[in-house]
Amino acid sequence: MATEVTLPDLGDGIESGDVLEVFVSVGDVISEGQDIVEMETDKATVPVPSSVSGKVSKIAVSEGDTVPIGGVLIEVEAESGAAAPAAEPAPETPKAEAPQAEPPKAETPEPPAPVASTPAPAAATPAPAPAAPPAQAAAPAPAAAPAASAAAPVEPADSDGEGGVIPAGPAVRRFAREVGVDLARVTGTGEGGRITRDDVLAAVRAASQSAGQAAASQAAAAPPAATPAAPAAAAAEPAAALGSDRPGTPAMDDFGSIHVERMSKIRKTISKQMHASWSNVPRVTNFDDADITELEHLRQTSKDDYAKQGLKLTTMPFLIKAVATALKHHPAINATIDQENEQLIYKDYVNIGIAVDTDRGLVVPVMKDADRMSVPGVTRTLAEMAGKVRSGQFAVNDLRGGSFTISNLGAIGGQYSTPIINIPEVAILLVGRSRKLPVVMPDDSIQPRLMMPLSLSYDHRLVDGGTAARFLNDVIGLLEAPSRLLLAF
């Protein structure tokens, strides 16, 4: 008897999810806890494991489907049930073996297929015939990849014996699908052989180069009549290379080629959140600078000790610790507004969200109880959070419960900005790229000092200008006196 595997509860407020990828096929034998599909919710991308073991008898969803909580994903025949009817599997086995006897015949024609396609233009002396292959030379790379992807469950077992397990995160898998790359054919250069985005791009470039070489060889073998088509082929190749690393499906508008991509759930959520914040929150932004010259000296003298523990010490842990310490003394900044019940809710905990720029959009994992952590503890937790975000392995709960948000624009570039508040929070701090500036010191001397630009946006319905300025002054004071920061509790 078949058992239905349904979409489990993915968290409060989540009613459905979109299917990004189906990891199993009909006939696969799976075990309990094995990932069967990858779902995208409005907050995160999560793999969904099977709740039972057995043989997959039916796939009820496909990529792009929206599945409600409790909706059927697959049907599984229990292992005991599958073993009982021994008479039925017996006929199926010969049938399965018969097609396996044929593939060698089918595989033999496959290699000649590309070779046959090459002589075809040579045999066809007319000029139109050679003009077609160059146009197809750029297209087959993405077009052939989906076919290879369809065969991926079988091919990895034949090629490397890894049982089809591809070491790549959800974000990389999605990017590979978008650009038409079969991950089973990509060699990972990341830690433990993990496939990275750069590996996928390298595969795209290699496919483009091979397509270009094929086009060049065809052009060389073609009769002189095909020469006028060469510029078109040369123009098509750069165009294909230009769009090879862009998301979406190739299309055309009135002005040229474009790529169209369906808006993801997380992008829809970001759009709604930002619109709600912009429409409902009267936002004010204060700009200031912190002199982190002494802090940078402390960081430089300590980073080797952290490196021995496998941690990279940046300025960010010090900033998080400074903000967490200051929030305890400014409850109005660590609060929310319950407009419906006309209440102000002051948080006794300090949970800081760290805005991270990803391929899928802005993700804000939350560091719980940041005020209770030491600088080494913050550094370690920050590294773990970054690892989860980069690999796309974060859970919905990792994004919940924030009371204040920090956005690090300096990691990308830029100094000041007017960040939009991550509602229902009432404030957000953006840190820009630190730079050396001439500063007039208390003794009237002018010295080069390393200055960190800070932009604090706050909800003026609750936070007054004086409250915001005092909070920012406390943060700056802690950054400028690292000894106070290290002793803070």
Side-chain angles (χ1 to χ4, degrees), residues 165-422:
V165 178
I166 300 175
V172 174
R173 289 175 181 272
R174 186 180 309 104
F175 178 62
R177 289 196 302 270
E178 291 169 351
V179 298
V181 171
D182 180 10
L183 290 178
R185 301 173 182 269
V186 179
T187 301
T189 60
E191 184 178 354
R194 195 171 186 81
I195 298 175
T196 66
R197 181 184 175 91
D198 290 339
D199 296 331
V200 177
L201 287 175
V204 171
R205 296 189 190 99
S208 298
Q209 290 175 359
S210 61
Q213 292 173 357
S217 61
Q218 289 175 358
T227 304
E237 184 181 338
L242 179 64
S244 62
D245 61 344
R246 297 185 182 181
T249 304
M252 296 289 291
D253 65 6
D254 294 338
F255 304 99
S257 62
I258 60 174
H259 280 69
V260 180
E261 181 182 33
R262 184 175 66 90
M263 185 178 284
S264 63
K265 269 187 173 291
I266 193 170
R267 179 52 63 184
K268 291 177 185 177
T269 301
I270 293 172
S271 177
K272 291 177 182 177
Q273 280 284 98
M274 295 300 98
H275 183 268
S277 179
W278 182 265
S279 304
N280 300 322
V281 176
R283 182 194 62 201
V284 181
T285 305
N286 286 7
F287 304 99
D288 215 326
D289 292 282
D291 185 345
I292 61 168
T293 307
E294 300 302 326
L295 177 61
E296 178 62 14
H297 177 71
L298 175 63
R299 188 186 73 84
Q300 290 292 343
T301 57
S302 304
K303 66 179 184 180
D304 289 341
D305 295 333
Y306 280 76
K308 292 177 182 178
Q309 303 177 34
L311 298 173
K312 181 180 180 181
L313 182 62
T314 65
T315 310
M316 196 64 177
F318 296 97
L319 178 63
I320 294 172
K321 182 62 178 176
V323 168
T325 302
L327 283 173
K328 293 193 297 183
H329 305 294
H330 299 275
I333 307 291
N334 197 51
T336 58
I337 299 176
D338 185 352
Q339 196 74 44
E340 188 173 331
N341 296 315
E342 298 182 346
Q343 294 177 340
L344 302 178
I345 302 173
Y346 299 97
K347 308 292 179 64
D348 295 329
Y349 52 83
V350 177
N351 295 345
I352 297 182
I354 310 298
V356 180
D357 182 37
T358 71
D359 295 338
R360 300 177 58 241
L362 198 66
V363 179
V364 187
V366 176
M367 184 179 295
K368 308 293 196 307
D369 298 321
D371 58 318
R372 301 181 184 179
M373 296 182 186
S374 62
V375 171
V378 171
T379 305
R380 188 171 292 102
T381 304
L382 187 62
E384 293 172 356
M385 290 169 53
K388 285 184 178 181
V389 170
R390 290 194 191 102
S391 62
Q393 298 300 317
F394 56 90
V396 177
N397 287 335
D398 294 330
L399 311 180
R400 289 179 175 163
S403 59
F404 186 90
T405 297
I406 298 176
S407 181
N408 185 9
L409 181 64
I412 303 173
Q415 297 173 359
Y416 302 98
S417 183
T418 54
I420 295 182
I421 298 167
N422 185 22

